[in-house]
Structure formats: structure tokens, C-alpha cells
Amino acid sequence: MTQIPNPEPSPNNFAKHDRTQPDFSKLTSSKVVAYLRSLTVGRSTRSYIKWINDTIGWYTLFWVALIWGGFLISGLQILKPLPKPLLLPKLQLYLTLIGAAFLLLRLLTTRISPIPLRSQDVFRLGMAPLAGSDILGWPLGLARVKAVGIALLPAILWMLFCYVFLGTLPWGTLLLAPILGWVWLECGWLSYASRDIHQPKAKVFSRALTLFVLVFSVTGMFSPVGLWNVLWDQSPLAYIAPIALLILSHFATRSSLHDGLPSTFLWQARVLSQLQSTVYMSAMTRAVPNQDEMRRLKAQLEPDRQRSKPTVFLPPPPASWGVQGALLWRSALMFYRRPFLEHLPILASCLALLLLENNPIATTIFGISLQAVIIGLIVSRLVAPAPLSPLLPILSSELTIGRVLPGLILLGIFFVALGALLTLTIGLEPLAFVKAALPMLCAVVFLEKMASWGKTNPYAREVALGAAVVAILPDVIAHYSGYGQWGLIVEAAVALMMFLPTGIREP
Amino acid sequence: MTEEILPLEIRSLEVVLSQRQILDDISLTLKKGDLMWLRGRNGAGKSTLMRALVGLLTYRGEVFIKGEPPYTLKAKSKFIYVPDEALLYDDLSLSEHARFSSMSYFQGDAEAKILGLLEQFQLTPYLGEYPTAHSRGMRQKLSLSLALGLDLPLYILDEPYNALDVQAQETLSEILAAKIKSGASILVTAHQEGITRSLLERIPHARQADLEDGKLLERITSKKAGKALLDKPSDKSPDKSPDKSLDTSL
């Protein structure tokens, strides 16, 4: 593995530093932070440039970009709009409700600072007598860039969906998405800061933004001036509300930062930086992050959630059950102790999968992709952690059973309960129930196998999505080869194979 | 006559972490020129108390640094906290750390003082280097120099003697004694009895307190310190026994 080199001290920088003594009579907080960032950010950037130059090479990057670009363009070229666009009569209402809920939840529920700070910055900047706006200037800028970049991805997907299925191309989405990404971050900050009694402006602005989102979500339903109208309306008036929201949230954040940092910010930033470094270190060593350590740190952020002191118990199995029994007990205890709210996403996913399978869209490439995404988002929650000691004398199949069986039982309960409910209410077909449950089961088992055999982190999003794609693959291949009826059988066979006793696991 | 604003004043401080009471009803004051040595077994809550004081943990109760809550800019300009782990920028050299530290507290003469302390700790040959390649002890020396080179009313030092060699420990005791002489106040934790004895010899009026079961108990362990403590009349508490809860102004 290539190591990123430490930046070498530059004699030029050192000499320059010694010559230019700062004028302390004119020194301001922003100049102090600028001095620090000019050295640290500048050197890190130069160090990364040197690292790319020495290890990967710029030509490699250029060719990768070219290949990806070509791949993307050819992918776009094969997209063709449906001859008969789908009619979604309540689309505007749904988009408005989703958008409004998205921002209102953020404004009303964020309790933890959405802006991270490095541990060095916590102690050396955060505890020094410097203005909050200067301390947070750089990390806030980075967080904005990240939020805007992330927001662009679903925007592009939405445009492609509109082009193929609705026969429209809402270019306004490309403007709305970055605005929303930016506003999403600032709404989170204002919601967090408004909980501090020393941040009166944040409280006022948070309420003003809530009112703004509510009012302009409603006005959009019967006038061109609305927050979400750019998703379906090309009129220039549709841009007024999103731009106004951006200006308001930006002004509100600036104003809140002038009041200083919230009193809980530094300790939250310290814990968040420790969490970040735990994840970072595990990524560097390609290990699974220490879940116990992460739980301990999270307990500091959310002390009310009884994360570190158990209140419910399951009796341990008799010793004669051996390691297998101990593993099953540990996994079952984890699910049993998990707060019910954390089970809700699993329940919601089961419902979504059942509804999807009951819809003709399920057999299209869009439906299959959606199924994979839903499974990928949730599957990690159904796999229990591995035993701490990798040296346990246990069969691979026993390890799989120990880690996944309690989760699969929970999944079974949810599917059966929801399936019965939907059968009675909307006449769900029994086959739809099997089609929804089987890929999820496959994904859970496959994820555990990837984790225990390949030493990958089953809680990493990309690994979970990979497992979901693999789980639906037999069905996709069978479907597009003209043997659709064999898809489920192949999936069931693959799932069963995972439980075969394949020998002692190698540490 | 105007009343002196205390460098540190804690009233009924409580810290609860994960539904466990770590600190319970801690009251404490540090006057100008006071040094308090805080002791306690591992997990007793020494670092927790310090973190709560400087705003790195939430707490119930009241904390004032020079009359201001610790998270305000006014309070931040009056104290510095040195954690038990030296947190330094990997891409700033030692001399740049000194420059940045003096700038961040707006003290023009602090850079020279920090460089002077680095010289006392024999780090001058390494001024142009990054601390990444340095040992834990060298990083600790830098961290302490960056704090003690500043001219502030209150220093809060968590295990400052850890990882220091014998000579550096003596140097640190001398620096702390000089700080106390100049009127600064210091709250310090340390496990090493020998080191702290040498510190108490240099600072006869130093105070000691033990954290036990979340409570703070002040003890008198050195003859000189004991005499100094007992010679001072207590205004608030009629109880003059050596072991008592620290809600008294000694």
C-alpha cells in the first residue's frame, strides 16, 4: 500500500516566516486563522500533488477521466424516452411534500453540529479567543462544497428519470439541487445552534426559515412562485423562492456565527473528530471500525439514548450450546436492545419492497435498480457484528447463522406482518411477497459472507450496495434471458449454498 | 475596595455521562497565585472535570473563568488548557507553532517566550522540523511550551508530567513555580508522587485535592503546605479539618 508522504519542511517557507513578523496592533481573528490555513492547507495541497505525481501520475488520472467520460456519454446516448410517457397525476404534490418534509425535518430535528472540526482545531483554534465565524470558515466552506456536490448526483438522476419516463428535461433541477445542498447544511447548523440559549438569532432565523419553507411550498401548488416549481416549471418566476431561500439561510448562518459558537459545539466537535478518526484509521488499515468504541463515542453525543447502559436483557444460552449459541445470543441481544425507532427504516424498506413488487414497474430496469437501492440502504442493519476474537474454532456456516439468523427472523416478522396487512387491504399477491423477501435474504447472507471471508466492513455503504446488486443479479439475468420464472429458484439456491459447512474459518 | 475577580470559580458542578454521574456537586475556587494539584485513581474524573471547566463537556452548575462562562471570548482569552495528549498540527514546524500560538492569543511577546521555553526543554535544534517525527515526550514539551509561554491568569494542565524525562520534569516544576510567583493560577493533575513532592517544595502554599466517587476532597499532605493551609483562616466554612468538601475558600 502506498503511503502518503509527510510534507517536508520547506526552507523557503521557514525563511519567509521568520522575516515577516506580524503587526500585533493590527492583528485580527481572521488574519490569525488565515496564517494557519495558508500554511497547513497550502502544504497539504502541495503534498497531495507531489504524492499523485510520484505514485499515480497525472496521465493515469487523465486516462481514467477520459474513460469515465466516454463511458458516461455512451451511457447517456443509449437512453431513449418511452414512446408513451408515464402519467403521474399527483407528481407535483408528491414532490412538494417530499421536498418540504426534507427541509422541515432538518430544521426541526438537528441536534448535532453538521460542521466537523479537526481535533487540532478544536484545541488550538476553538479554545483560543478567536471569532466563531473565522474558526468555522474553512470547514464550513468544505462542508458546503461537499453538500453541493452530493446534491448534484440525485439531481442528475432525477433529470434522467424525467427524460426517460416523463419525456421532459427539467434543467432547473441543476440549479435547485446545489441550492438545496447549501441550504440543507445551513438549516442543520441553524437548527443545532437554535437549541443553545446563547444563540437567540439562530432561534429566530430557524423559525423564519421554517415558515418560509412552509409558505412557499404551499404557494407553489397554485402559483408559479414556489420552492419546488423548478422541478416541473420552466418559468423564471419559479426561481425566485429557491434563490430567496438561499440568501436568507446564508445571511442567517453568518449572523448566527457572529454570536459566537454554541456552548456545546466544542465538545461535540471533539467527539465527532474522534469518531471521524476511528473511521479513518479503520479505512487506512482496511479493518472494520471498532463498533464498541464508536458506540461509546456516540453515547457522549446522545446521552439520553441509553446507549452505554443496558436496560433490557436476554438470558444467556446454556454452555452446551457452544460458540454457536453464544453468537446467536449476542446477535439476538443486539437486535433486542436496539431502540424501536432504529427498526423503523427496516420496516419501511419491507413495505417499499412489497409495494414495488405489487407494481408493474418492478420488472423494468428502473424497478430492479430501485429494489437494489432499497436493499442496499438497509441490509447492513440486519447483520450482527463479528465476534471480537478471530481465532474462535467455528465453522463458516455457524458464523453465518450466528450473525444473520436473528436479523432474518426480525425481517421475517416484518414481511409476514406487512404482507398479511397488504393482502387484506390492497390484495397483494403471494408471489410478490416471495419476490420482495428473497433478494433481501440473499443480500443479508451475502453481505455476511463478504465480511467474514473478505474481511470487508459490512457497515460500509458501498459494500452493502454491492451485496444488494449481487443478490438481485440472478433474478435480472434470468429475467433478461427469458427464464424469468427461474430467477427466484436460483436466488434461493444461492442463499442455501451460503449456509453449507465449509470448514474452519481462517483467522 | 473592589472585589477580586477569581481566576476560577466552580459552583455545584455535576457531570453525567451516559447516565452515570461522574462528578457530583463540585465546588472550587482558585485565587490569584494558587496552584491546585488534583489527584485520583484512573477513571475518577480528573480529565472530565478539566474538560467540563473549559467547555469540552456539558455540565450542570456554574463555572466562571475570571467572572465569565468558559465558552465566551472573554473567558477564552484568560486561560489555556493543555490536554493529556499533545494535539499539534502535523504541517506546522515548531517555530511556526510558536508564532501561531502567540498570534492566536494576540500576545506579541509570547513567541519569544515560547522559543525561550523550547530552549529550556532543549528543543531549539528542532525548531524548523515538523512534530510528526518527534517522540511523545518532545511533543509534550512543545505543547507545554506553547501554553506556558503565554501570559494568562489561569493554566489548566492535564497530566503535564507524562512522557517527560527527569530533567524536563524538573524544568517544568521550575516553570510552574515561576508562573505562580508571577500571580498566575494553575490547576494540574499528576500521578507521580515524587514529581509533585518537588513541585510542592517549590510552591509551599500549593493545594491538593482528591477526586473520589465523583466528590472533591481537599487534603493536606506536605508539612509546609499543611501549615500554609491551616494558617489561613476560613471565611465560609467553620470546619477546619484537613478532609472536607472543597466549597471553602482556603
Side-chain angles (χ1 to χ4, degrees):
Chain A
M1 186 179 155
T2 313
Q3 295 288 327
I4 299 174
N6 283 324
E8 293 298 323
S10 156
N12 293 334
N13 275 332
F14 190 62
K16 188 181 174 188
H17 156 74
D18 273 351
R19 278 201 303 270
T20 53
Q21 291 287 337
D23 181 357
F24 277 81
S25 62
K26 292 179 183 171
L27 196 62
T28 59
S29 179
S30 57
K31 285 182 183 170
V32 174
V33 178
Y35 169 77
L36 176 74
R37 301 296 185 210
S38 67
L39 291 175
T40 55
V41 177
R43 280 176 185 166
S44 294
T45 311
R46 279 196 293 277
S47 174
Y48 274 108
I49 290 171
K50 188 174 181 300
W51 177 68
I52 290 172
N53 213 23
D54 294 349
T55 55
I56 304 172
W58 293 104
Y59 280 112
T60 314
L61 282 186
F62 173 74
W63 282 115
V64 168
L66 201 68
I67 291 165
W68 270 89
F71 183 67
L72 202 67
I73 290 166
S74 7
L76 289 175
Q77 279 176 341
I78 60 167
L79 286 179
K80 294 279 180 271
L82 291 179
K84 193 179 170 191
L86 294 179
L87 288 174
L88 300 174
K90 291 182 182 172
L91 183 65
Q92 294 179 10
L93 176 67
Y94 291 146
L95 289 177
T96 302
L97 287 177
I98 292 168
F102 174 77
L103 279 187
L104 288 175
L105 276 175
R106 181 74 165 170
L107 274 165
L108 297 173
T109 60
T110 310
R111 291 169 184 274
I112 294 168
S113 164
I115 304 168
L117 209 57
R118 288 170 66 195
S119 54
Q120 289 95 333
D121 287 344
V122 171
F123 286 91
R124 305 233 160 259
L125 283 179
M127 304 199 66
L130 302 170
S133 51
D134 295 321
I135 295 169
L136 282 189
W138 175 253
L140 182 62
L142 284 181
R144 280 174 179 150
V145 171
K146 195 174 159 189
V148 166
I150 290 172
L152 276 171
L153 285 174
I156 291 166
L157 286 177
W158 171 249
M159 285 182 69
L160 295 177
F161 173 83
C162 288
Y163 175 68
V164 175
F165 293 100
L166 308 180
T168 59
L169 205 49
W171 288 105
T173 313
L174 284 182
L175 179 76
L176 184 68
I179 289 178
L180 273 184
W182 189 292
V183 169
W184 166 259
L185 180 77
E186 298 195 332
C187 283
W189 173 260
L190 289 167
S191 170
Y192 160 67
S194 67
R195 292 168 200 280
D196 190 303
I197 54 167
H198 308 290
Q199 293 273 338
K201 284 183 197 164
K203 193 180 275 291
V204 171
F205 280 119
S206 174
R207 287 177 182 167
L209 279 171
T210 307
L211 191 67
F212 186 98
V213 172
L214 274 173
V215 169
F216 283 95
S217 294
V218 174
T219 56
M221 299 305 297
F222 48 83
S223 80
V225 182
L227 209 42
W228 317 103
N229 292 38
V230 288
L231 294 175
W232 60 83
D233 188 355
Q234 304 292 325
S235 156
L237 289 175
Y239 293 88
I240 291 175
I243 291 171
L245 179 68
L246 177 69
I247 293 168
L248 178 62
S249 75
H250 185 64
F251 175 73
T253 306
R254 274 176 64 99
S255 178
S256 141
L257 284 173
H258 279 299
D259 278 353
L261 296 172
S263 57
T264 55
F265 177 75
L266 285 181
W267 72 263
Q268 282 201 358
R270 185 182 65 84
V271 177
L272 288 170
S273 72
Q274 284 177 308
L275 264 172
Q276 214 169 28
S277 62
T278 305
V279 174
Y280 178 72
M281 285 310 292
S282 62
M284 289 292 283
T285 54
R286 297 186 181 181
V288 178
N290 185 338
Q291 297 296 315
D292 293 328
E293 172 69 4
M294 291 181 74
R295 199 172 298 120
R296 187 185 70 77
L297 291 168
K298 283 177 185 170
Q300 290 185 31
L301 288 175
E302 299 174 69
D304 297 335
R305 302 187 70 179
Q306 302 184 353
R307 283 178 183 271
S308 57
K309 188 176 181 182
T311 52
V312 292
F313 302 90
L314 280 179
S320 59
W321 286 28
V323 181
Q324 172 78 93
L327 277 175
L328 277 169
W329 175 69
R330 190 191 176 202
S331 306
L333 197 59
M334 188 202 87
F335 287 107
Y336 188 49
R337 282 181 176 163
R338 187 184 277 173
F340 182 71
L341 276 178
E342 291 186 22
H343 286 310
L344 278 183
I346 302 174
L347 192 69
S349 300
C350 293
L351 181 65
L353 287 173
L354 286 168
L355 290 173
L356 185 65
E357 284 301 335
N358 205 40
N359 196 298
I361 206 170
T363 54
T364 64
I365 189 70
F366 174 73
I368 293 168
S369 308
L370 192 59
Q371 191 184 20
V373 169
I374 294 170
I375 294 173
L377 289 176
I378 215 69
V379 66
S380 293
R381 291 171 185 252
L382 293 159
V383 177
L388 288 176
S389 168
L391 302 172
L392 287 176
I394 184 169
L395 292 173
S396 290
S397 54
E398 289 177 335
L399 183 68
T400 304
I401 291 170
R403 290 182 74 183
V404 305
L405 192 60
L408 291 180
I409 292 172
L410 182 77
L411 198 62
I413 294 169
F414 284 167
F415 266 121
V416 169
L418 288 170
L421 187 72
L422 293 178
T423 306
L424 291 173
T425 51
I426 60 168
L428 182 80
E429 291 176 17
L431 191 61
F433 170 81
V434 178
K435 279 183 178 174
L438 201 55
M440 182 71 112
L441 181 144
C442 264
V444 172
V445 180
F446 189 75
L447 184 64
E448 194 284 324
K449 282 297 176 201
M450 279 211 288
S452 59
W453 286 358
K455 305 287 182 289
T456 50
N457 175 12
Y459 307 107
R461 187 55 53 84
E462 67 277 12
V463 178
L465 281 171
V469 169
V470 172
I472 61 158
L473 216 51
D475 197 23
V476 174
I477 294 170
H479 182 80
Y480 282 97
S481 330
Y483 298 97
Q485 68 277 22
W486 285 94
L488 289 178
I489 297 166
V490 174
E491 271 182 359
V494 169
L496 281 175
M497 276 169 61
M498 303 277 185
F499 290 100
L500 290 176
T502 48
I504 302 291
R505 189 170 61 112
E506 286 184 16
Chain B
M1 183 182 164
T2 54
E3 196 179 335
E4 182 202 353
I5 302 173
L6 294 167
L8 178 65
E9 191 174 8
I10 307 170
R11 295 184 205 142
S12 306
L13 181 112
E14 285 181 32
V15 174
V16 178
L17 289 178
S18 305
Q19 302 197 328
R20 194 160 70 90
Q21 182 115 21
I22 308 292
L23 299 174
D24 182 19
D25 195 24
I26 304 280
S27 295
L28 163 71
T29 54
L30 277 191
K31 288 182 177 175
K32 190 179 175 187
D34 266 356
L35 181 141
M36 174 162 277
W37 170 32
L38 203 58
R39 303 190 315 173
R41 58 179 168 73
N42 292 339
K46 303 182 296 294
S47 298
T48 303
L49 172 60
M50 290 192 159
R51 284 176 187 162
L53 296 186
V54 301
L56 286 174
L57 273 179
T58 49
Y59 57 85
R60 283 197 290 266
E62 290 178 308
V63 176
F64 296 103
I65 292 173
K66 278 287 185 183
E68 299 285 339
Y71 49 83
T72 58
L73 280 188
K74 275 186 184 172
K76 283 179 180 177
S77 64
K78 306 292 182 196
F79 80 93
I80 190 158
Y81 166 60
V82 181
D84 50 354
E85 183 194 358
L87 287 157
L88 305 162
Y89 288 103
D90 296 343
D91 30 24
L92 284 193
S93 68
L94 270 60
S95 59
E96 285 163 349
H97 268 97
R99 166 72 56 85
F100 171 65
S101 197
S102 69
M103 284 172 76
S104 57
Y105 282 80
F106 302 95
Q107 294 186 8
D109 55 346
E111 185 178 353
K113 288 182 187 169
I114 294 169
L115 293 175
L117 291 177
L118 288 173
E119 193 176 355
Q120 283 192 56
F121 280 125
Q122 299 175 334
L123 287 182
T124 307
Y126 310 102
L127 284 180
E129 294 184 4
Y130 292 127
T132 33
H134 291 170
S135 71
R136 193 174 161 221
M138 290 165 83
R139 291 167 64 85
Q140 178 73 350
K141 287 176 186 174
L142 172 61
S143 181
L144 287 165
S145 303
L146 294 175
L148 296 169
L150 297 166
D151 189 15
L152 297 168
L154 177 64
Y155 298 84
I156 299 173
L157 314 175
D158 194 0
E159 308 280 2
Y161 288 95
N162 279 5
L164 295 185
D165 56 56
V166 177
Q167 195 182 345
Q169 288 171 358
E170 287 296 317
T171 308
L172 177 60
S173 291
E174 281 170 19
I175 295 166
L176 294 184
K179 281 281 171 195
I180 291 296
K181 204 173 174 183
S182 70
S185 308
I186 299 173
L187 182 65
V188 60
T189 62
H191 283 294
Q192 302 90 334
E193 288 282 343
I195 298 163
T196 37
R197 200 173 298 124
S198 82
L199 186 63
L200 291 174
E201 281 170 9
R202 286 184 172 89
I203 308 165
H205 60 282
R207 296 158 57 187
Q208 285 179 237
D210 283 0
L211 261 173
E212 287 177 14
D213 300 325
K215 300 271 187 190
L216 195 64
L217 303 168
E218 186 153 356
R219 296 186 190 282
I220 298 167
T221 52
S222 78
K223 199 175 172 184
K224 279 183 180 176
K227 188 172 182 308
L229 286 168
L230 292 173
D231 284 346
K232 283 189 174 182
S234 171
D235 300 331
K236 292 182 182 173
S237 169
D239 181 10
K240 289 186 179 179
S241 64
D243 282 0
K244 56 182 183 283
S245 186
L246 257 186
D247 57 352
T248 55
S249 171
L250 286 162

PDB file of all heavy atoms in Angstrom, chain A residues 80-98:
ATOM      1  N   LYS A  80     -33.306   6.370 -24.130  1.00  0.00           N
ATOM      2  CA  LYS A  80     -34.341   6.847 -25.056  1.00  0.00           C
ATOM      3  C   LYS A  80     -35.624   7.053 -24.265  1.00  0.00           C
ATOM      4  O   LYS A  80     -35.958   6.223 -23.403  1.00  0.00           O
ATOM      5  CB  LYS A  80     -34.592   5.797 -26.147  1.00  0.00           C
ATOM      6  CG  LYS A  80     -33.410   5.575 -27.076  1.00  0.00           C
ATOM      7  CD  LYS A  80     -33.340   6.643 -28.158  1.00  0.00           C
ATOM      8  CE  LYS A  80     -32.158   6.412 -29.077  1.00  0.00           C
ATOM      9  NZ  LYS A  80     -30.933   7.047 -28.636  1.00  0.00           N
ATOM     10  N   PRO A  81     -36.306   8.149 -24.520  1.00  0.00           N
ATOM     11  CA  PRO A  81     -37.571   8.347 -23.804  1.00  0.00           C
ATOM     12  C   PRO A  81     -38.598   7.283 -24.194  1.00  0.00           C
ATOM     13  O   PRO A  81     -38.578   6.763 -25.319  1.00  0.00           O
ATOM     14  CB  PRO A  81     -38.027   9.736 -24.226  1.00  0.00           C
ATOM     15  CG  PRO A  81     -37.169  10.134 -25.365  1.00  0.00           C
ATOM     16  CD  PRO A  81     -35.994   9.241 -25.438  1.00  0.00           C
ATOM     17  N   LEU A  82     -39.444   6.936 -23.244  1.00  0.00           N
ATOM     18  CA  LEU A  82     -40.502   5.964 -23.536  1.00  0.00           C
ATOM     19  C   LEU A  82     -41.408   6.516 -24.633  1.00  0.00           C
ATOM     20  O   LEU A  82     -41.666   7.720 -24.681  1.00  0.00           O
ATOM     21  CB  LEU A  82     -41.350   5.729 -22.282  1.00  0.00           C
ATOM     22  CG  LEU A  82     -40.709   4.987 -21.118  1.00  0.00           C
ATOM     23  CD1 LEU A  82     -41.702   4.871 -19.967  1.00  0.00           C
ATOM     24  CD2 LEU A  82     -40.243   3.615 -21.538  1.00  0.00           C
ATOM     25  N   PRO A  83     -41.885   5.651 -25.547  1.00  0.00           N
ATOM     26  CA  PRO A  83     -42.794   6.143 -26.598  1.00  0.00           C
ATOM     27  C   PRO A  83     -44.040   6.791 -25.992  1.00  0.00           C
ATOM     28  O   PRO A  83     -44.554   7.777 -26.521  1.00  0.00           O
ATOM     29  CB  PRO A  83     -43.151   4.899 -27.390  1.00  0.00           C
ATOM     30  CG  PRO A  83     -42.519   3.747 -26.710  1.00  0.00           C
ATOM     31  CD  PRO A  83     -41.626   4.232 -25.637  1.00  0.00           C
ATOM     32  N   LYS A  84     -44.486   6.225 -24.897  1.00  0.00           N
ATOM     33  CA  LYS A  84     -45.659   6.812 -24.236  1.00  0.00           C
ATOM     34  C   LYS A  84     -45.259   7.171 -22.800  1.00  0.00           C
ATOM     35  O   LYS A  84     -45.115   6.268 -21.955  1.00  0.00           O
ATOM     36  CB  LYS A  84     -46.792   5.780 -24.237  1.00  0.00           C
ATOM     37  CG  LYS A  84     -48.129   6.367 -23.866  1.00  0.00           C
ATOM     38  CD  LYS A  84     -49.195   5.282 -23.924  1.00  0.00           C
ATOM     39  CE  LYS A  84     -50.490   5.801 -23.329  1.00  0.00           C
ATOM     40  NZ  LYS A  84     -51.449   4.721 -23.131  1.00  0.00           N
ATOM     41  N   PRO A  85     -44.997   8.462 -22.527  1.00  0.00           N
ATOM     42  CA  PRO A  85     -44.529   8.834 -21.186  1.00  0.00           C
ATOM     43  C   PRO A  85     -45.518   8.410 -20.104  1.00  0.00           C
ATOM     44  O   PRO A  85     -46.726   8.361 -20.336  1.00  0.00           O
ATOM     45  CB  PRO A  85     -44.424  10.358 -21.251  1.00  0.00           C
ATOM     46  CG  PRO A  85     -44.409  10.699 -22.684  1.00  0.00           C
ATOM     47  CD  PRO A  85     -45.157   9.630 -23.396  1.00  0.00           C
ATOM     48  N   LEU A  86     -44.939   8.105 -18.921  1.00  0.00           N
ATOM     49  CA  LEU A  86     -45.799   7.737 -17.784  1.00  0.00           C
ATOM     50  C   LEU A  86     -46.613   8.947 -17.347  1.00  0.00           C
ATOM     51  O   LEU A  86     -46.143  10.081 -17.419  1.00  0.00           O
ATOM     52  CB  LEU A  86     -44.948   7.271 -16.598  1.00  0.00           C
ATOM     53  CG  LEU A  86     -44.155   5.984 -16.741  1.00  0.00           C
ATOM     54  CD1 LEU A  86     -43.363   5.726 -15.460  1.00  0.00           C
ATOM     55  CD2 LEU A  86     -45.089   4.808 -17.006  1.00  0.00           C
ATOM     56  N   LEU A  87     -47.811   8.671 -16.890  1.00  0.00           N
ATOM     57  CA  LEU A  87     -48.635   9.764 -16.367  1.00  0.00           C
ATOM     58  C   LEU A  87     -48.654   9.654 -14.848  1.00  0.00           C
ATOM     59  O   LEU A  87     -49.117   8.672 -14.289  1.00  0.00           O
ATOM     60  CB  LEU A  87     -50.062   9.668 -16.915  1.00  0.00           C
ATOM     61  CG  LEU A  87     -50.214  10.029 -18.397  1.00  0.00           C
ATOM     62  CD1 LEU A  87     -51.630   9.763 -18.849  1.00  0.00           C
ATOM     63  CD2 LEU A  87     -49.830  11.475 -18.657  1.00  0.00           C
ATOM     64  N   LEU A  88     -48.078  10.626 -14.210  1.00  0.00           N
ATOM     65  CA  LEU A  88     -48.065  10.635 -12.748  1.00  0.00           C
ATOM     66  C   LEU A  88     -48.873  11.855 -12.311  1.00  0.00           C
ATOM     67  O   LEU A  88     -48.336  12.957 -12.157  1.00  0.00           O
ATOM     68  CB  LEU A  88     -46.634  10.697 -12.224  1.00  0.00           C
ATOM     69  CG  LEU A  88     -45.726   9.527 -12.643  1.00  0.00           C
ATOM     70  CD1 LEU A  88     -44.290   9.767 -12.193  1.00  0.00           C
ATOM     71  CD2 LEU A  88     -46.228   8.217 -12.072  1.00  0.00           C
ATOM     72  N   PRO A  89     -50.179  11.692 -12.130  1.00  0.00           N
ATOM     73  CA  PRO A  89     -51.060  12.847 -11.953  1.00  0.00           C
ATOM     74  C   PRO A  89     -50.770  13.671 -10.705  1.00  0.00           C
ATOM     75  O   PRO A  89     -50.948  14.874 -10.700  1.00  0.00           O
ATOM     76  CB  PRO A  89     -52.461  12.222 -11.875  1.00  0.00           C
ATOM     77  CG  PRO A  89     -52.252  10.784 -11.565  1.00  0.00           C
ATOM     78  CD  PRO A  89     -50.918  10.421 -12.121  1.00  0.00           C
ATOM     79  N   LYS A  90     -50.289  13.016  -9.667  1.00  0.00           N
ATOM     80  CA  LYS A  90     -50.078  13.785  -8.431  1.00  0.00           C
ATOM     81  C   LYS A  90     -48.592  14.056  -8.204  1.00  0.00           C
ATOM     82  O   LYS A  90     -48.160  14.250  -7.066  1.00  0.00           O
ATOM     83  CB  LYS A  90     -50.666  13.014  -7.253  1.00  0.00           C
ATOM     84  CG  LYS A  90     -52.184  12.959  -7.286  1.00  0.00           C
ATOM     85  CD  LYS A  90     -52.713  12.239  -6.069  1.00  0.00           C
ATOM     86  CE  LYS A  90     -54.227  12.172  -6.167  1.00  0.00           C
ATOM     87  NZ  LYS A  90     -54.809  11.318  -5.126  1.00  0.00           N
ATOM     88  N   LEU A  91     -47.803  14.079  -9.279  1.00  0.00           N
ATOM     89  CA  LEU A  91     -46.359  14.234  -9.145  1.00  0.00           C
ATOM     90  C   LEU A  91     -45.979  15.535  -8.420  1.00  0.00           C
ATOM     91  O   LEU A  91     -45.121  15.543  -7.541  1.00  0.00           O
ATOM     92  CB  LEU A  91     -45.713  14.198 -10.526  1.00  0.00           C
ATOM     93  CG  LEU A  91     -44.187  14.287 -10.520  1.00  0.00           C
ATOM     94  CD1 LEU A  91     -43.582  13.069  -9.857  1.00  0.00           C
ATOM     95  CD2 LEU A  91     -43.637  14.449 -11.914  1.00  0.00           C
ATOM     96  N   GLN A  92     -46.630  16.636  -8.794  1.00  0.00           N
ATOM     97  CA  GLN A  92     -46.289  17.931  -8.187  1.00  0.00           C
ATOM     98  C   GLN A  92     -46.547  17.903  -6.679  1.00  0.00           C
ATOM     99  O   GLN A  92     -45.749  18.411  -5.886  1.00  0.00           O
ATOM    100  CB  GLN A  92     -47.087  19.045  -8.842  1.00  0.00           C
ATOM    101  CG  GLN A  92     -46.699  19.231 -10.299  1.00  0.00           C
ATOM    102  CD  GLN A  92     -47.496  20.319 -10.971  1.00  0.00           C
ATOM    103  OE1 GLN A  92     -48.214  21.059 -10.327  1.00  0.00           O
ATOM    104  NE2 GLN A  92     -47.381  20.399 -12.280  1.00  0.00           N
ATOM    105  N   LEU A  93     -47.653  17.297  -6.305  1.00  0.00           N
ATOM    106  CA  LEU A  93     -47.988  17.214  -4.880  1.00  0.00           C
ATOM    107  C   LEU A  93     -46.941  16.383  -4.145  1.00  0.00           C
ATOM    108  O   LEU A  93     -46.443  16.776  -3.075  1.00  0.00           O
ATOM    109  CB  LEU A  93     -49.378  16.584  -4.715  1.00  0.00           C
ATOM    110  CG  LEU A  93     -49.821  16.350  -3.272  1.00  0.00           C
ATOM    111  CD1 LEU A  93     -50.031  17.676  -2.544  1.00  0.00           C
ATOM    112  CD2 LEU A  93     -51.100  15.532  -3.219  1.00  0.00           C
ATOM    113  N   TYR A  94     -46.586  15.230  -4.735  1.00  0.00           N
ATOM    114  CA  TYR A  94     -45.610  14.359  -4.089  1.00  0.00           C
ATOM    115  C   TYR A  94     -44.252  15.065  -3.945  1.00  0.00           C
ATOM    116  O   TYR A  94     -43.616  15.011  -2.894  1.00  0.00           O
ATOM    117  CB  TYR A  94     -45.420  13.059  -4.884  1.00  0.00           C
ATOM    118  CG  TYR A  94     -46.626  12.146  -4.861  1.00  0.00           C
ATOM    119  CD1 TYR A  94     -46.957  11.364  -5.967  1.00  0.00           C
ATOM    120  CD2 TYR A  94     -47.448  12.055  -3.743  1.00  0.00           C
ATOM    121  CE1 TYR A  94     -48.067  10.526  -5.959  1.00  0.00           C
ATOM    122  CE2 TYR A  94     -48.555  11.225  -3.726  1.00  0.00           C
ATOM    123  CZ  TYR A  94     -48.862  10.467  -4.835  1.00  0.00           C
ATOM    124  OH  TYR A  94     -49.958   9.653  -4.816  1.00  0.00           O
ATOM    125  N   LEU A  95     -43.828  15.727  -5.031  1.00  0.00           N
ATOM    126  CA  LEU A  95     -42.534  16.412  -4.984  1.00  0.00           C
ATOM    127  C   LEU A  95     -42.528  17.500  -3.922  1.00  0.00           C
ATOM    128  O   LEU A  95     -41.555  17.673  -3.183  1.00  0.00           O
ATOM    129  CB  LEU A  95     -42.207  17.025  -6.352  1.00  0.00           C
ATOM    130  CG  LEU A  95     -41.864  16.040  -7.462  1.00  0.00           C
ATOM    131  CD1 LEU A  95     -41.644  16.787  -8.775  1.00  0.00           C
ATOM    132  CD2 LEU A  95     -40.605  15.253  -7.102  1.00  0.00           C
ATOM    133  N   THR A  96     -43.631  18.238  -3.834  1.00  0.00           N
ATOM    134  CA  THR A  96     -43.727  19.302  -2.834  1.00  0.00           C
ATOM    135  C   THR A  96     -43.673  18.725  -1.426  1.00  0.00           C
ATOM    136  O   THR A  96     -42.951  19.235  -0.562  1.00  0.00           O
ATOM    137  CB  THR A  96     -45.045  20.081  -3.019  1.00  0.00           C
ATOM    138  OG1 THR A  96     -45.061  20.595  -4.341  1.00  0.00           O
ATOM    139  CG2 THR A  96     -45.164  21.222  -2.035  1.00  0.00           C
ATOM    140  N   LEU A  97     -44.434  17.662  -1.214  1.00  0.00           N
ATOM    141  CA  LEU A  97     -44.464  17.066   0.128  1.00  0.00           C
ATOM    142  C   LEU A  97     -43.095  16.519   0.521  1.00  0.00           C
ATOM    143  O   LEU A  97     -42.618  16.735   1.631  1.00  0.00           O
ATOM    144  CB  LEU A  97     -45.505  15.940   0.186  1.00  0.00           C
ATOM    145  CG  LEU A  97     -46.969  16.391   0.182  1.00  0.00           C
ATOM    146  CD1 LEU A  97     -47.899  15.181   0.154  1.00  0.00           C
ATOM    147  CD2 LEU A  97     -47.281  17.273   1.389  1.00  0.00           C
ATOM    148  N   ILE A  98     -42.450  15.823  -0.432  1.00  0.00           N
ATOM    149  CA  ILE A  98     -41.130  15.242  -0.128  1.00  0.00           C
ATOM    150  C   ILE A  98     -40.115  16.355   0.160  1.00  0.00           C
ATOM    151  O   ILE A  98     -39.375  16.315   1.142  1.00  0.00           O
ATOM    152  CB  ILE A  98     -40.648  14.348  -1.295  1.00  0.00           C
ATOM    153  CG1 ILE A  98     -41.530  13.103  -1.390  1.00  0.00           C
ATOM    154  CG2 ILE A  98     -39.183  13.955  -1.120  1.00  0.00           C
ATOM    155  CD1 ILE A  98     -41.336  12.297  -2.649  1.00  0.00           C
TER     156      ILE A  98
END
